[in-house]
Structures are given as structure tokens and as C-alpha cells.
Amino acid sequence: MADKQRQADELHVIILAAGQGTRMRTTLPKVLQPLAGKPMIRHLLETVQQLSPKQIHLVHGHGSEQLQAALSDVQLNWVLQDQQRGTGHAVSQAMPAIPAQASVLVLMADHPLVPLALLETMLDNSSDTVLVTMELSAPHGYGRILRDRQGQFTAIIEQADASIEQQQIVEVNSGIYLFPAAALRRWLTRLSSDNAAAENYLTDVLAMAIADGMAVSTLQWPQADCLQGANTQAQLAQLERLYQQQQVQLLLQAGVRIADPQRLDIRGQVDAGLDVFIDVNVVLSGHCQLGDKVSIGPGCVLHDCQLGSGTQVLAHSVLEDVRCGERCMIGPFAHCRPGTRLANEVKIGNFVETKNAVIGAHSKASHLSYLGDAQLGERVNIGAGTITCNFDGVSKWITRIADDVFIGSDTQLIAPVSIGAGAFIGAGSTISHDAPAGQLTLSRSKQTTLQDWRAPAQRVSSTDQHTAESKAATASTGARRKVEPDNKEQN
Ligand code: UD1
Ligand code: CA
């Protein structure tokens, strides 16, 4: 325990993130490409932070402004690498800020899913230089691990510099290293760019360590899939699938029933109670808390939601910043926007949109409504087609509906407006003044029936008349009968 503490005090982490990532073919810097909804570099940073290092040095260059804006909340020593002259050059930019006695953990920012357990294992033999390797069936693009006849590590050879024979090697460099700072600094000054990429390769440092007689441990990590880098969209997509599998496994282990583990995406944190069910093609993002017996129907998208036990979200509903009590029924096709707060047993039916809506227990809006900036009491019934007109073109206003109100279908409530407890609002009303409690209020033009009304006679225009005449003519010559079979085929 004391040992570990000492290591954390001396541990400096360098993360390389200055490259452009041209192989991604996008305008967004590579390390900001999203994985599970957040920039890939954040995944790595969150893992590294758990080691409590003395400092994290982030080497940046390409897309610096975007990177700094995206990570403004993270405590980092920002190290500028003006020109991207290779990974060795990148590391050397950070060295002036690192004391000689430190252990230096070097990581590539395009490896988002490096497991904490691996880094901890490396730190457990921090007296050495440690290099993490992995075996890949498709090693193309990675530096290959060279070993002598006794199997002792000798050097790393980059893809572009490797002979055809060396390219057959399947043990590759993961890009994760632990170095003693003083020696690393020495080796970095000796790097040259005499190679295929004309860059200073960090990987050349390892052969120098061997030449200096330093002990270099190679740590081969068996779960190679999580150590892979994302140079291309294809590799990033693979890592995304891997991450999703990991998340779904955690939920399954926690007892969540998942209709198809391949068709659930988690882009954030999910806390689930007992007997939760999640159907296919669901996306959960932000922080979602699902109470006991919550069920999420197919095709639902939930962001930052807290759902009370027994609540059912039916197919194709979209919920953002929703908090609800127990046994609510939401959807199908409901859209609950930020600030939706539902008490117990509220029903939000199909094609109902809510926003900043606080709705009391047992209230229902079953069909086709908009409830925005609205406060509803308990046992309120909102008829189909009811709209709270909350926006006058300049400001938003509140609609208040007290307990036990019945709003007839197709009603517009022009806010600010209040409906008293137990009031009835007649269907088709436009309510622009407060309605008193316990009474029927309606605004509706009087229904009339015109006694002397006649259905319009069929009027025939001159062109219609011409068409009618020519139709009659073709019918009499038999041309019509010839056309009929073709017409049938077209149908
Ligand atoms: C590198 C390794 C390779 C290893 C692989 C693991 C070298 C020379 N090669 O290759 O052995 O198998 O990672 O994924 O180290 N970067 C900078 N400044 C630079 C160049 C790169 O900060 O001047 C950063 C990039 O932003 C990236 C990381 O370093 O995050 C790695 O660079 P990349 O070009 O992806 O290296 P690879 O070709 O993948
Ligand atoms: Ca890479």
C-alpha cells in the first residue's frame, strides 16, 4: 500500500495527441472522434486519472483549439508540439516538466479502451522499462516486436521499415510504455529521423535501452482487442462495438434482461434496479437510472432519465431529462423533453410532447398533445389535440391546471392561464382567460345548420366537356376495349 502511494507520487503520464489523424478522413481531430458519445481521449483520461498520477502531460498540436475547448474541465499540463515530427519528438516536448526520478507512463491518445488493470500491472514492476505487446491476427500498421533466438526482446520495427519477413510477425507494439525518466531523457536526445517516415520514432528508444544494458520487460496482454488503436473509422467502429459489448455484459451481470445484447447502445452510465427489461434498438445516454421492473420498449432513446419502478416506456419514445415516479406509462411515440417531471401513474400517450411539464399523479395525456411550461395537478385528463400555447413570439408563459380538471379535446390554452380545480373545459375551446374551479368553461362558435342550403350542382368546364365527348367517341369505335387489358396489367 505504502509502495503504491510512493509510485503514484512519482508517476507522470504523457499522452500523445498532437497528430492530425489523416487516416480518419474527417475535420475533427482524431482524438476527439466520439466513442460511445464522448471524445475517445476522455475514455483514456478517465482511466489514467484512477492511477492518481502526479501529473498528466498532454502533447497537443493539430487541432489544439478544439482539443483545449473539449477538455477545458480536465486538469492537464498542456504541452505544445508545434510540428508533428514523430512520437519520440512528441515525448521529448513533455520531458522538461518531468523530474529525473519519476516513472513515465507513455500512452497514445488513440487507444481509448486501455484497461486500468493493465496499467496497474505495469506499475507493479516500475523499476524496469516496461513495454506492452499484443498478438494480432491482422497486425498491419503496428510496430512489430523483434526477438532474438532465445526469445529476448531486441527492438521494435515500424510497419513502413519492416522487411516482408518482419511483416509476418504478429506480436506488435501496443504503444503503452513505462520508462525511468532520466534514462528516457537521455535516449530521446539520441533519436534520429533516418527512417521511412523521416520521423523521430519513440519506438527506437527500446533498442537503446537494451544497448544500455537496461532491463526491458515486455508484458503481453492477452485481451488484445481492448488495446487496439483507432487510426481509421473502421478501427474506431470496432472499438465502439467492443465497448458496447462490455457495457451490455455489465448490465446482464447486474440482472437486466436485454432482448438482444447486439442491439443496445450505452453512451453514458446506466444504473438499473431489479427485473428491468430493455427491448431492441434502444440508446441510453448521459446518466439513466431505471428503477425496479422498468421496461423500455423497442427503438427508444433516453438521455439523463430517472424512471421510477414499474414505469413502462413504450416503443419509439424519445425522453430527455425526464424524472418520473412509479408505474408511469410513456409512449408509444412520446417525446418528453427536458424538465418533464411526472408523479406516480401518469400516462403520456402517443404523439404527446412535453417540455418543462410538471404533472401530478394519475393525470393523463393520452393522445396528440403539447404540454410545454405546464403545471398539472393530480387526476387531470388532457383530451386529444390539446395544446398549451406557451410562446407568444417573445416570451414563454406558464399554464397551470389544478387537480381533477378535464380538458376537452382540441383545446388551446393560451398561457399565462390557470384552470381551477375540478373545472371542465369544453372540447374545441380556445381558453385565453383563467377558468374557474368546478365549472364548465368553453369558447366555441355556435353551431348552425343552414336550412336553404343546396349541394352544388356538378359543373362541367369546356375542357372537361371536350374530354367527355372524345371518350364517348373512342368507346363507340371499340378503342376503349383494346386499352383495357393494358390498364389492368399496369395495376
Ligand atoms: C505507433 C507506434 C507503433 C505502435 C502503434 C500503436 C511509433 C513510431 N509507432 O504507430 O509502433 O504499434 O503506435 O498504436 O511510435 N503523435 C504525436 N506527435 C507526433 C506523432 C504522433 O503526438 O509527432 C500522436 C498521435 O496523435 C497519436 C499517437 O501519437 O495519438 C500515435 O501516433 P500514430 O501516428 O497513430 O502512430 P501509429 O502509426 O499508430
Ligand atoms: Ca495510432
Side-chain angles (χ1 to χ4, degrees):
M1 197 54 195
D3 250 21
K4 265 237 148 88
Q5 190 53 50
R6 187 180 57 79
Q7 281 187 343
D9 288 349
E10 294 185 350
L11 179 65
H12 284 249
V13 180
I14 302 176
I15 298 181
L16 303 190
Q20 183 176 3
T22 42
R23 288 167 279 183
M24 281 286 172
R25 296 181 189 275
T26 83
T27 53
L28 192 66
K30 169 158 74 171
V31 300
L32 292 183
Q33 296 286 324
L35 182 110
K38 68 180 171 197
M40 70 160 109
I41 191 172
R42 273 193 177 266
H43 291 268
L44 184 63
L45 283 169
E46 283 166 17
T47 306
V48 165
Q49 278 163 339
Q50 293 180 65
L51 297 170
S52 312
K54 183 89 179 159
Q55 220 172 5
I56 302 174
H57 309 266
L58 188 74
V59 182
H60 63 112
H62 188 85
S64 276
E65 270 176 34
Q66 278 165 286
L67 200 59
Q68 279 176 310
L71 301 177
S72 60
D73 59 318
V74 186
Q75 216 182 351
L76 293 167
N77 176 33
W78 290 85
V79 178
L80 182 66
Q81 185 195 21
D82 248 342
Q83 287 179 320
Q84 282 74 67
R85 293 202 261 143
T87 47
H89 178 256
V91 170
S92 66
Q93 305 305 295
M95 293 311 288
I98 297 177
Q101 77 282 4
S103 297
V104 186
L105 177 64
V106 179
L107 298 160
M108 311 285 123
D110 59 349
H111 288 244
L113 300 185
V114 171
L116 180 64
L118 164 66
L119 302 180
E120 285 172 342
T121 308
M122 290 176 81
L123 291 181
D124 282 345
N125 59 52
S126 66
S127 55
D128 272 319
T129 288
V130 185
L131 159 68
V132 179
T133 75
M134 54 186 171
E135 284 193 354
L136 294 180
S137 53
H140 185 88
Y142 286 87
R144 308 299 206 282
I145 302 297
L146 305 184
R147 294 183 180 274
D148 63 17
R149 286 217 184 94
Q150 286 72 46
Q152 292 298 308
F153 168 80
T154 57
I156 300 173
I157 183 96
E158 288 305 302
Q159 169 81 36
D161 301 284
S163 65
I164 300 286
E165 213 169 59
Q166 287 167 330
Q167 286 178 24
Q168 307 309 308
I169 298 171
V170 294
E171 188 185 12
V172 303
N173 169 26
S174 70
I176 304 168
Y177 323 81
L178 189 65
F179 297 108
L184 176 61
R185 190 173 318 200
R186 210 171 54 239
W187 299 325
L188 287 169
T189 59
R190 283 160 40 193
L191 284 180
S192 92
S193 54
D194 182 17
N195 53 47
E199 286 187 348
N200 278 359
Y201 292 160
L202 175 63
T203 45
D204 287 346
V205 154
L206 281 302
M208 293 179 193
I210 299 285
D212 278 5
M214 299 274 292
V216 177
S217 322
T218 54
L219 176 65
Q220 198 185 98
W221 199 250
Q223 287 88 35
D225 46 1
C226 57
L227 296 191
Q228 297 200 39
N231 291 325
T232 62
Q233 295 290 350
Q235 288 169 333
L236 180 60
Q238 268 177 18
L239 287 173
E240 175 80 34
R241 281 304 99 207
L242 175 67
Y243 178 86
Q244 293 305 335
Q245 277 169 27
Q246 290 172 346
Q247 299 307 302
V248 167
Q249 284 308 316
L250 291 176
L251 283 186
L252 290 168
Q253 280 161 23
V256 176
R257 191 158 66 88
I258 294 173
D260 181 355
Q262 313 281 346
R263 286 186 287 169
L264 166 62
D265 275 43
I266 296 171
R267 301 174 190 160
Q269 188 190 335
V270 178
D271 299 327
L274 293 173
D275 302 314
V276 167
F277 172 65
I278 303 176
D279 214 323
V280 298
N281 295 333
V282 168
V283 179
L284 303 175
S285 65
H287 186 191
C288 289
Q289 293 163 271
L290 313 177
D292 294 348
K293 294 189 168 63
V294 161
S295 110
I296 312 288
C300 289
V301 178
L302 273 65
H303 179 79
D304 280 336
C305 289
Q306 198 178 318
L307 308 183
S309 59
T311 287
Q312 295 183 38
V313 183
L314 305 180
H316 303 291
S317 295
V318 176
L319 279 60
E320 181 180 356
D321 177 30
V322 171
R323 276 187 225 148
C324 80
E326 298 179 0
R327 296 177 299 283
C328 290
M329 286 276 277
I330 302 173
F333 301 102
H335 187 190
C336 297
R337 294 169 49 205
T340 296
R341 302 287 178 262
L342 312 178
N344 291 344
E345 300 192 31
V346 169
K347 182 176 178 200
I348 301 294
N350 45 195
F351 308 107
V352 173
E353 175 179 346
T354 59
K355 187 219 66 177
N356 260 342
V358 181
I359 302 181
H362 304 281
S363 290
K364 292 178 181 170
S366 299
H367 338 263
L368 299 158
S369 289
Y370 173 59
L371 300 173
D373 301 301
Q375 293 175 6
L376 278 65
E378 300 187 351
R379 297 171 301 279
V380 170
N381 188 81
I382 301 287
T386 295
I387 305 288
T388 55
C389 307
N390 59 330
F391 187 48
D392 60 10
V394 179
S395 311
K396 301 273 171 74
W397 301 97
I398 290 180
T399 299
R400 289 189 175 81
I401 302 174
D403 294 346
D404 301 300
V405 165
F406 180 96
I407 309 277
S409 295
D410 196 23
T411 292
Q412 302 103 55
L413 300 159
I414 303 185
V417 72
S418 294
I419 312 296
F424 269 62
I425 304 296
S429 294
T430 300
I431 300 295
S432 45
H433 304 289
D434 291 354
Q439 296 189 44
L440 171 66
T441 300
L442 50 85
S443 85
R444 200 188 274 169
S445 51
K446 212 170 186 178
Q447 181 168 329
T448 53
T449 303
L450 303 181
Q451 298 304 327
D452 54 354
W453 178 85
R454 293 274 175 278
Q458 205 163 19
R459 271 189 288 155
V460 182
S461 73
S462 59
T463 19
D464 287 347
Q465 212 159 8
H466 173 75
T467 323
E469 278 163 9
S470 58
K471 266 189 188 167
T474 46
S476 65
T477 60
R480 188 183 167 82
R481 275 197 302 279
K482 274 191 183 162
V483 171
E484 262 178 357
D486 280 345
N487 276 350
K488 272 190 188 143
E489 271 173 30
Q490 277 170 14
N491 288 342

